[in-house]
Amino acid sequence: MSSADAVRDSIYRSCMYKDEMKWEKWLDLCDEDFQYSITAYSPEIRNDMIYLSGNREEMLGMMKMLPKHNTDHSPLKRHCSVYVVEFEADGSTATAVSSIVVYQTQLDGINSHVDAGESKVFLVGRYFDKFRVTDGVAKFIEREVKLDTRKLDKGSHYPI
Amino acid sequence: MAKSRNHEQWTSPPPFPQDEYVDSRIYSDQEIFEEEQEKIFKKAWIPVCHESELPEPYDFRTTTIAKEPVILTRAKDGKVRAFLNVCPHRGNMLERAPSGSFLDGSPSGNPRHITCMFHAWQFDMKGRCVYISRQEEGYQDRLKKQQMGLRELKCEVYFGGFVWVTLNDQIDMTVEEWSAGSLEVLKPSLDEEPLEVFHYHKAIIPCNYKLWHDTNCEFYHDFLHYHNRITGFNDAYFARKNTGFDNGHINVGSFEVQYDNYEGSHSREEISFPHLPPNHWYMIDMFPGVNFNLRGSSLRCDIMTPIGPNEVMIEFRGLGLKSDDAVTRRSRVDHHNSIWGPFGRNLHEDLLAVTGQGSAMNAHAERRQILHGRHENETIHDENGMRHFYEEWGRWMDRLPSNPDKPFVEPAAASSAAAG
Ligand code: FES
Ligand SMILES: [Fe+2]
């Protein structure tokens, strides 16, 4: 597998693990110094915003707390296309830009008798990722999920 | 022995006076909704944005109140003014973007002007009509620019830089008078130095706007939030007072939140808002659908725009101090959004709960009685805040919240009539 393929592989695996809500496996794809954020630009206030952020440990902590919280259990599915993978001159650091669309399939979010089973676009955005590539394995050191969507209705407890 | 109830038992009044419960029709009836737009939303002062959203001369911001499109401009004199965002010619919406600047010209108009793209009439930041295309050819001397100004609305910047607008020319009070003292508790913290909006997102939720306002007014629902139970629920928490003010506004008193009790959460002490004791948390709920919520280091403001009897748009803003350095701002954003952001711990839970209320009520449903009858010495789990709101709502609507087909009766008069 080429190094660029290793980067793509990590991106797609991250989607799969998050779809399956295997948060630890997702974070296993990330290096110790990993930083995660969900950001958006608001044309309303003409400012860049950070909707959620955390390092590896903080993200893991948040996920571990979820069972104590009331939440919308409607599953999210991430549809991702990796657009570009670029390497630094040293060959061991890479950046990637991907398109991301997240679909939500209603379960218990509204009125399950009517809505359960219905899939809708939950949000649209891009992944801006950074990787450390060692021995053919690409580990995330940064993921910024940059959203276009700012009308997020009920929102979510799940990372994107 | 406790038992379930049949139709007659379910629909008969609860063992409370009439001001301690409401009929679910006030949350679902189309006629009541239309009436609220006319009698309340077109009459009250409504905050629509923060002045930091239009910081420079020629900046604008658009919004709506009671379905009327509104535009705010900042003129060269620095003053923020409000107008209907409607062209006096053939009623086109003048500006379509949420915000921006008129410094650059639009495709059919000049710099520093509001240009209607339809037939290119132009207006200045003070709402004066300054250009009518082919004026003499078409209107000869029958129509003058002086007659074609924009419809100006009363507008004030007040309370930490919030921009308030009313559609009601006849309103006989300032925003300060309208607030009736309810803003005083946070005025020192918000007026010490300029604020800035750092967060904005919106939700459209299938529930009535009052259900969201109720959720902001009552803290009994902290049972919904693990975060609030673990960081609150001590003697100081249960001693917090709910206080009513004229015009239907309320305050929820403060206490010191124990942030460290929630794993991964931290004290806000180092970057408290001015004059706010460390980790304190005050809330102001203003009639008919506004909330200011100051938790230690960041201010949240919810503005509700009712869309239908069972639909509300809520705009969520987060604010910090304009003087923040990058590190401080980052912490404020994190404190705000870890709880109140679209991916935060509490907001999602609140929105799920009101969605559930909206789903379980409809205009033709068997009557639900929504109970507001808790008495706990006007402390945090007392429901006096909601009772205070509905008393005011009843007055403005001339409807009894517990039976909206009947005219409003002051609670005092109702209880003395019952006693008599
Ligand atoms: S409608 Fe605005 S110029 Fe004609
Ligand atoms: Fe809440």
Side-chain angles (χ1 to χ4, degrees):
Chain A
M1 189 157 63
S2 78
S3 299
D5 283 342
V7 166
R8 285 188 204 99
D9 187 68
S10 288
I11 294 174
Y12 289 129
R13 275 177 198 279
S14 79
C15 292
M16 200 172 68
Y17 291 143
K18 282 193 266 193
D19 285 357
E20 292 166 358
M21 296 196 256
K22 292 178 177 159
W23 311 113
E24 289 191 29
K25 288 196 114 175
W26 161 47
L27 290 162
D28 283 346
L29 298 169
C30 307
D31 235 334
E32 287 305 313
D33 53 349
F34 173 68
Q35 289 287 339
Y36 176 84
S37 63
I38 303 177
T39 66
Y41 173 77
S42 165
E44 292 83 11
I45 61 169
R46 287 184 278 163
N47 255 321
D48 287 310
M49 306 179 290
I50 304 169
Y51 281 171
L52 183 75
S53 65
N55 60 28
R56 193 177 184 285
E57 196 189 316
E58 288 164 341
M59 294 312 294
L60 196 60
M62 272 187 235
M63 297 304 102
K64 284 198 171 142
M65 297 298 270
L66 279 188
K68 295 187 185 293
H69 284 272
N70 290 293
T71 206
D72 183 344
H73 297 92
S74 305
L76 303 179
K77 287 281 180 295
R78 293 145 186 87
H79 186 89
C80 174
S81 298
V82 180
Y83 284 172
V84 274
V85 178
E86 277 172 348
F87 282 83
E88 304 275 309
D90 65 4
S92 66
T93 323
T95 57
V97 180
S98 315
S99 155
I100 175 81
V101 179
V102 178
Y103 300 94
Q104 185 176 46
T105 302
Q106 291 303 326
L107 175 63
D108 57 2
I110 307 177
N111 175 355
S112 60
H113 181 221
V114 175
D115 304 293
E118 183 186 354
S119 302
K120 277 190 182 159
V121 172
F122 179 55
L123 58 83
V124 171
R126 292 239 160 125
Y127 284 148
F128 292 87
D129 296 328
K130 275 200 186 111
F131 296 88
R132 190 172 290 129
V133 187
T134 346
D135 301 328
V137 178
K139 287 229 166 192
F140 283 90
I141 46 179
E142 198 180 311
R143 162 155 283 177
E144 179 184 352
V145 189
K146 193 158 192 188
L147 303 184
D148 291 318
T149 311
R150 302 168 320 277
K151 184 176 96 62
L152 288 149
D153 295 343
K154 288 188 271 59
S156 175
H157 279 147
Y158 303 139
I160 299 307
Chain B
M1 198 173 72
K3 38 181 190 152
S4 60
R5 294 179 283 172
N6 63 23
H7 169 79
E8 197 190 317
Q9 294 159 334
W10 170 264
T11 52
S12 56
F16 295 148
Q18 51 89 4
D19 61 326
E20 297 191 357
Y21 64 99
V22 306
D23 186 312
S24 62
R25 278 180 297 159
I26 69 165
Y27 301 117
S28 54
D29 185 273
Q30 184 72 33
E31 191 185 315
I32 292 177
F33 167 77
E34 303 290 350
E35 211 175 291
E36 285 176 310
Q37 298 286 298
E38 295 304 316
K39 291 185 172 173
I40 298 176
F41 283 85
K42 288 188 179 173
K43 296 286 186 283
W45 278 109
I46 311 279
V48 292
C49 68
H50 187 259
E51 65 163 347
S52 67
E53 295 167 50
L54 58 167
E56 303 295 332
Y58 301 102
D59 280 352
F60 69 85
R61 183 81 173 89
T62 59
T63 183
T64 60
I65 300 175
K67 301 196 174 172
E68 288 280 22
V70 171
I71 184 165
L72 302 141
T73 63
R74 194 186 283 273
K76 229 165 71 181
D77 62 5
K79 201 175 158 196
V80 176
R81 293 177 174 82
F83 309 96
L84 279 192
N85 187 11
V86 173
C87 179
H89 176 221
R90 290 221 295 126
N92 187 28
M93 191 179 285
L94 285 167
E95 177 54 55
R96 293 168 296 150
S99 82
S101 167
F102 291 118
L103 258 188
D104 297 328
S106 68
S108 47
N110 294 316
R112 298 183 177 79
H113 289 88
I114 306 171
T115 302
C116 177
M117 71 174 183
F118 214 171
H119 315 92
W121 287 27
Q122 294 185 36
F123 308 87
D124 70 9
M125 299 301 114
K126 294 181 175 173
R128 297 177 292 209
C129 178
V130 294
Y131 178 73
I132 292 177
S133 47
R134 291 176 53 78
Q135 181 177 359
E136 281 169 33
E137 289 87 336
Y139 298 115
Q140 298 81 39
D141 55 6
R142 294 174 298 121
L143 184 83
K144 301 201 172 9
K145 290 195 268 291
Q146 295 89 294
Q147 298 167 299
M148 289 292 109
L150 301 183
R151 164 73 164 96
E152 186 159 1
L153 305 170
K154 286 196 173 187
C155 176
E156 269 190 50
V157 177
Y158 185 76
F159 189 56
F162 284 91
V163 181
W164 304 71
V165 177
T166 178
L167 299 178
N168 179 8
D169 276 3
Q170 269 68 54
I171 200 158
D172 59 356
M173 47 183 133
T174 62
V175 176
E176 183 174 3
E177 288 160 353
W178 162 250
S179 72
S182 62
L183 299 174
E184 295 309 309
V185 66
L186 288 185
K187 271 199 106 217
S189 297
L190 271 60
D191 283 341
E192 176 74 22
E193 53 173 299
L195 307 183
E196 192 170 67
V197 177
F198 60 68
H199 174 87
Y200 179 89
H201 86 279
K202 61 171 105 160
I204 294 186
I205 298 293
C207 80
N208 187 273
Y209 77 93
K210 296 189 288 302
L211 292 167
W212 185 250
H213 195 70
D214 292 349
T215 294
N216 279 337
C217 292
E218 63 95 351
F219 275 57
Y220 185 36
H221 85 269
D222 272 337
F223 284 102
L224 169 73
H225 302 304
Y226 172 69
H227 181 282
N228 290 7
R229 295 199 308 271
I230 197 82
T231 61
F233 277 24
N234 55 24
D235 290 348
Y237 168 93
F238 285 107
R240 300 169 76 184
K241 280 269 184 182
N242 305 317
T243 312
F245 296 83
D246 282 354
N247 303 325
H249 314 313
I250 69 162
N251 280 180
V252 180
S254 185
F255 82 121
E256 190 180 347
V257 180
Q258 308 297 312
Y259 285 104
D260 295 332
N261 289 353
Y262 186 91
E263 211 181 301
S265 180
H266 310 286
S267 165
R268 276 76 167 132
E269 179 166 4
E270 279 174 24
I271 52 170
S272 288
F273 258 55
H275 308 292
L276 187 73
N279 295 315
H280 269 246
W281 176 18
Y282 283 99
M283 192 119 136
I284 299 168
D285 294 290
M286 287 187 75
F287 187 84
V290 181
N291 167 260
F292 298 102
N293 199 341
L294 183 62
R295 248 188 197 269
S297 56
S298 62
L299 175 71
R300 164 178 153 195
C301 172
D302 299 4
I303 299 173
M304 280 154 257
T305 301
I307 295 177
N310 201 36
E311 197 172 25
V312 59
M313 175 172 78
I314 314 162
E315 291 173 282
F316 299 101
R317 283 173 171 79
L319 296 98
L321 305 181
K322 198 173 175 198
S323 64
D324 287 342
D325 59 35
V327 176
T328 304
R329 179 60 61 86
R330 183 70 200 255
S331 297
R332 289 196 205 283
V333 169
D334 187 52
H335 293 165
H336 180 275
N337 282 346
S338 58
I339 302 176
W340 292 331
F343 300 89
R345 301 276 118 167
N346 287 11
L347 190 75
H348 179 55
E349 293 175 329
D350 288 317
L351 290 168
L352 280 175
V354 295
T355 300
Q357 286 181 297
S359 296
M361 291 177 195
N362 71 71
H364 305 287
E366 189 180 41
R367 199 155 95 107
R368 281 96 164 107
Q369 283 150 155
I370 311 302
L371 306 183
H372 297 157
R374 292 182 62 83
H375 286 265
E376 284 191 72
N377 198 24
E378 305 198 332
T379 55
I380 192 80
H381 287 192
D382 197 312
E383 289 169 336
N384 61 314
M386 288 190 292
R387 291 195 292 274
H388 186 68
F389 175 92
Y390 285 102
E391 194 180 313
E392 190 68 14
W393 184 90
R395 268 183 213 119
W396 285 57
M397 294 289 286
D398 193 21
R399 288 178 185 267
L400 202 57
S402 58
N403 185 352
D405 294 333
K406 290 192 178 160
F408 179 68
V409 190
E410 292 289 340
S415 53
S416 63

